Amino acid sequence: MMIKKLLFCEGSYYKIGGKQGELLSSEIRQNLATFWDALRVQGYDKSKLIENALKQEKLWSSERLEEIEGVGDGAKIEYPELLAYNVYHDFAFPEGCTVLMAVGKASATGSTIFLKNSDKVGSESYVGPNCYKNKEINVILALNPEEGNKIVGVAAAGAAAIKMGLNDKGVATGSNISRTKELAKRGTEKDSIQIKALDRGTLMREGLEKGENALESAQAILPNLLENPMSTPGNIHFADAKEAVIIEGSYHELATEIIRDEVAARSNRFVLLKELNREDDLSSICRYIRCRQLLAENKGKITVEKMIEFSMDHANGPGPNSICRHGTHFSEETSLSAAVMEINGREPEKSKISIALGKPCRAWRNKEAHITLSMEMGPEDIPEGFKNGEIWKKFYTEEAKQ
């Protein structure tokens, strides 16, 4: 199940982690079980992974390590196991996803509007009382650390990483894997787990916590990326009201693009490092071309409502090649949720994130399945179904709705 719960956590990073651990103990344990099972099937040894994760501790910030320790204490799970889950989560369960943005004057408002459709494969290991239709458990997090910016985002239970999010300085973030030639070889190279690599979702979290604009957020994570690659090739995006920074990173190459008053998109492929892309990745090619078409046709007129339309788009489908992705088996990479972030250029703290839980083509069309959050909201403002997972279960289906 991809249970979508909502947590409001504040205080020290240890306290934030402790609260997550206490409230989501069963979900975290289920995620850990599926994580270890997925890597076991790929031929990796649990004890060696934990040993290697402890060696990579120094790559992680003290804030993230403190939070992981808190999660472990709250959920009564050993710290080394949770550290390994965080270090290798993206390695085991890479995000698919499609990202579109209209930056600055390219939107109808003159300030950036940012969309991410979150795509993910399922697994036969996703079973049990906290699972649903073989999908990973996720939570919606609202974080208010003692040091750092406030964040609202979506994450997997027990992970320090986020899938997408917004901070109270008006910076949005999202990411996606890039299906490169070297990624295709990874499965035959078991020693690749030794690579000192960084999790994209954790890097996004670091950028949102430290940056007051897109450039600062990117600069906060670039020093680490210059020394260590992403755990899998992929894209990281940061966007504020007037500017966006896209970072493309592979195991041995890194490139950045700055966007101002323009539209941009990424599917599961590189644009700057395009020579690394797999030529047979039809889904990524189809989605990228469709994204560019929609953005070009609507440049200067793009609103939140337009982005929601794009999120539900079924051109080249409905199926794995459409922006709203559908499949016939849980093992296929399909769309599970979406978020549209609207940046308020004059009052960044009033920027909004709208989250649809379930298949985008259904969730966006039903008022019960999506919600708009701001930093000023509290737990009492959130319907119970968004807290206990019932909304996601109701609107997650592979059946397309036109």
Side-chain angles (χ1 to χ4, degrees), residues 91-335:
F91 192 92
F93 304 122
E95 290 275 315
C97 311
T98 309
V99 172
L100 300 87
M101 64 186 84
V103 181
K105 295 177 182 177
S107 79
T109 66
S111 292
T112 300
I113 299 176
F114 185 103
L115 162 67
K116 175 176 173 176
N117 267 23
S118 182
D119 305 337
K120 197 85 165 180
V121 296
S123 169
E124 60 185 10
S125 2
Y126 292 138
V127 295
N130 293 310
C131 292
Y132 182 73
K133 295 190 177 180
N134 304 99
K135 297 298 179 181
E136 183 187 49
I137 301 163
N138 281 220
V139 295
I140 298 177
L141 291 176
L143 305 172
N144 185 17
E146 289 178 351
E147 297 181 12
N149 301 321
K150 295 179 183 178
I151 297 173
V152 174
V154 179
I162 58 173
K163 298 176 180 296
M164 47 207 173
L166 176 71
N167 73 12
D168 61 342
K169 302 301 188 297
V171 182
T173 192
S175 70
N176 38 15
I177 193 174
S178 289
R179 304 205 177 281
T180 62
K181 298 168 188 174
E182 59 185 347
L183 179 64
K185 296 177 183 178
R186 189 193 69 176
T188 62
E189 300 172 357
K190 295 302 177 190
D191 60 342
S192 63
I193 202 75
Q194 302 279 355
I195 292 174
K196 290 185 176 180
L198 298 166
D199 180 83
R200 268 189 299 283
T202 305
L203 291 167
M204 289 194 294
R205 171 95 178 266
E206 298 279 348
L208 286 190
E209 285 178 348
K210 297 176 180 177
E212 297 200 7
N213 54 52
L215 188 58
E216 283 187 9
S217 295
Q219 289 172 333
I221 67 170
L222 277 172
N224 271 342
L225 281 174
L226 291 171
E227 294 184 17
N228 306 283
M230 300 181 196
S231 54
T232 53
N235 310 298
I236 297 175
H237 322 75
F238 293 107
D240 59 35
K242 301 297 181 184
E243 185 174 70
V245 180
I246 301 175
I247 303 170
E248 296 185 354
S250 192
Y251 292 127
H252 307 291
E253 299 184 57
L254 194 68
T256 60
E257 180 179 10
I258 296 178
I259 312 291
R260 298 187 183 97
D261 297 327
E262 242 326 328
V263 293
R266 289 295 189 276
S267 57
N268 302 125
R269 60 189 283 106
F270 289 136
V271 173
L272 305 177
L273 302 175
K274 58 186 178 182
E275 70 279 359
L276 301 179
N277 294 330
R278 283 174 49 188
E279 293 88 353
D280 61 348
D281 183 12
L282 180 62
S283 171
S284 297
I285 295 169
C286 289
R287 283 181 287 126
Y288 180 71
I289 292 172
R290 179 58 174 166
C291 288
R292 294 296 308 183
Q293 177 188 1
L294 290 170
L295 290 169
E297 289 175 353
N298 293 276
K299 183 179 175 183
K301 302 176 290 184
I302 296 172
T303 60
V304 169
E305 290 72 26
K306 276 289 180 186
M307 281 294 197
I308 289 173
E309 288 180 21
F310 301 165
S311 175
M312 299 187 291
D313 189 77
H314 284 156
N316 305 311
N321 300 333
S322 49
I323 295 174
C324 181
R325 301 175 75 188
H326 296 257
T328 57
H329 192 269
F330 63 76
S331 62
E332 293 181 77
E333 186 178 78
T334 60
S335 300

Side-chain angles (χ1 to χ4, degrees), residues 80-97:
E81 185 173 0
L82 269 176
L83 177 65
Y85 174 68
N86 279 277
V87 169
Y88 295 120
H89 180 268
D90 194 50
F91 192 92
F93 304 122
E95 290 275 315
C97 311

Side-chain angles (χ1 to χ4, degrees), residues 3-56:
I3 295 181
K4 296 277 189 175
K5 292 189 176 180
L6 183 80
L7 291 180
F8 280 76
C9 305
E10 58 184 359
S12 68
Y13 288 104
Y14 179 82
K15 288 182 179 178
I16 286 174
K19 183 173 181 180
Q20 293 181 63
E22 290 173 11
L23 296 179
L24 297 171
S25 177
S26 60
E27 287 88 349
I28 293 169
R29 290 176 187 279
Q30 182 64 47
N31 277 353
L32 279 170
T34 56
F35 166 77
W36 290 121
D37 188 68
L39 288 176
R40 178 188 56 77
V41 169
Q42 294 179 47
Y44 297 108
D45 179 76
K46 180 177 179 179
S47 61
K48 289 182 179 178
L49 289 174
I50 290 176
E51 181 183 347
N52 290 335
L54 289 168
K55 291 178 182 178
Q56 296 196 45

